[in-house]
Amino acid sequence: RKEVEQDPGPFNVPEGATVAFNCTYSNSASQSFFWYRQDCRKEPKLLMSVYSSGNEDGRFTAQLNRASQYISLLIRDSKLSDSATYLCVVNVAGNQFYFGTGTSLTVIP
Amino acid sequence: NAGVMQNPRHLVRRRGQEARLRCSPMKGHSHVYWYRQLPEEGLKFMVYLQKENIIDESGMPKERFSAEFPKEGPSILRIQQVVRGDSAAYFCASSPDRPNYGYTFGSGTRLTVV
């Protein structure tokens, strides 16, 4: 079983829409969680950390559900510039992080 | 404050040649990770190294691939006798001892085998 699983999409949404991605993880001992963003042919970049209490950064909201072992990312008022692949990342212990395969988002004018 | 530096950005090799990919971690980071991304696919973990030690190489192909992170100098990912299937983007990431904010990635090396 994969450590991290994501729906690959693609998600095609109109500008201004709200879109949500989910990600599940298999190891209940996972300690920290992140969302990364990867633009086409570029390196992944940290978008935001995910905290147990949930956290918000502008139009982006990340939530963690430890009981069900999933994390989510909500993007409100989608912009064209949000088009990218969103990677779910989980840290079980130490320095090793597990990356999901990514969810592709295209925001359409 | 330079980020993770990878070179070359693009590398073209003929089948059977060797490819050497270099990665200099961010200042203060002692942990290096190599990932491979095949066209239209996700990131695949290859190897995790600390200075002079391989910590986890569970993602490395058993043959032709090797990695090192010497006491001095960058980490090197070496691919011997390259084949067309090795064509991919190879990303290096680094982290400090306590990666509270995840990894920082380099811009990647795009290897094309012709």
Side-chain angles (χ1 to χ4, degrees), chain A residues 58-100:
Chain A
R59 298 180 293 107
F60 298 81
T61 300
Q63 293 200 307
L64 166 64
N65 184 319
R66 283 192 184 272
S68 301
Q69 295 183 203
Y70 78 82
I71 68 174
S72 64
L73 178 67
L74 183 77
I75 306 175
R76 290 182 299 278
D77 188 22
S78 300
K79 311 288 185 196
L80 294 177
S81 57
D82 294 334
S83 297
T85 297
Y86 291 84
L87 303 168
C88 170
V89 183
V90 172
N91 171 233
V92 175
N95 286 61
Q96 290 190 263
F97 288 63
Y98 295 95
F99 284 75

Side-chain angles (χ1 to χ4, degrees), chain A residues 18-61:
Chain A
T18 295
V19 61
F21 309 133
N22 286 331
C23 161
T24 57
Y25 59 94
S26 60
N27 193 326
S28 59
S30 298
Q31 297 181 355
S32 52
F33 310 87
F34 307 88
W35 283 100
Y36 275 66
R37 170 190 169 134
Q38 185 175 25
D39 292 284
C40 186
R41 302 181 68 77
K42 298 279 184 70
E43 74 273 23
K45 293 185 178 177
L46 179 65
L47 178 65
M48 57 198 302
S49 303
V50 187
Y51 303 119
S52 296
S53 54
N55 49 300
E56 190 173 304
D57 182 3
R59 298 180 293 107
F60 298 81
T61 300

Side-chain angles (χ1 to χ4, degrees), chain A residues 32 34 36 38 40-46 49 51 87 91 94-102, chain B residues 31 33 35 37 42-45 48 56 91 95-103 105-107 110:
Chain A
S32 52
F34 307 88
Y36 275 66
Q38 185 175 25
C40 186
R41 302 181 68 77
K42 298 279 184 70
E43 74 273 23
K45 293 185 178 177
L46 179 65
S49 303
Y51 303 119
L87 303 168
N91 171 233
N95 286 61
Q96 290 190 263
F97 288 63
Y98 295 95
F99 284 75
T101 52
Chain B
H31 303 262
Y33 317 83
Y35 286 80
Q37 189 168 36
L43 283 172
K44 293 282 195 296
F45 168 77
Y48 160 32
D56 180 355
F91 290 101
S95 76
D97 284 341
R98 293 175 184 272
N100 295 325
Y101 301 104
Y103 297 164
F105 281 86
S107 301
R110 275 158 188 80

Side-chain angles (χ1 to χ4, degrees), chain B residues 9-112:
Chain B
R9 290 291 301 272
H10 300 275
L11 182 61
V12 179
R13 284 286 177 267
R14 295 187 185 280
R15 279 179 296 171
Q17 291 185 318
E18 178 179 285
R20 281 186 178 236
L21 288 62
R22 286 175 290 278
C23 169
S24 296
M26 277 186 73
K27 188 176 180 180
H29 287 191
S30 57
H31 303 262
V32 165
Y33 317 83
W34 285 95
Y35 286 80
R36 176 164 67 173
Q37 189 168 36
L38 294 167
E40 310 302 324
E41 293 191 15
L43 283 172
K44 293 282 195 296
F45 168 77
M46 298 183 76
V47 62
Y48 160 32
L49 310 104
Q50 284 183 271
K51 283 286 186 183
E52 298 184 279
N53 288 309
I54 296 174
I55 307 301
D56 180 355
E57 56 182 347
S58 58
M60 288 277 271
K62 293 288 185 282
E63 297 176 348
R64 302 188 297 107
F65 285 72
S66 61
E68 62 176 6
F69 189 14
K71 190 175 178 182
E72 302 290 337
S75 175
I76 306 286
L77 179 67
R78 183 179 175 212
I79 311 172
Q80 294 178 290
Q81 298 175 315
V82 296
V83 301
R84 288 238 169 94
D86 297 332
S87 295
Y90 291 82
F91 290 101
C92 169
S94 72
S95 76
D97 284 341
R98 293 175 184 272
N100 295 325
Y101 301 104
Y103 297 164
T104 302
F105 281 86
S107 301
T109 293
R110 275 158 188 80
L111 172 66
T112 302

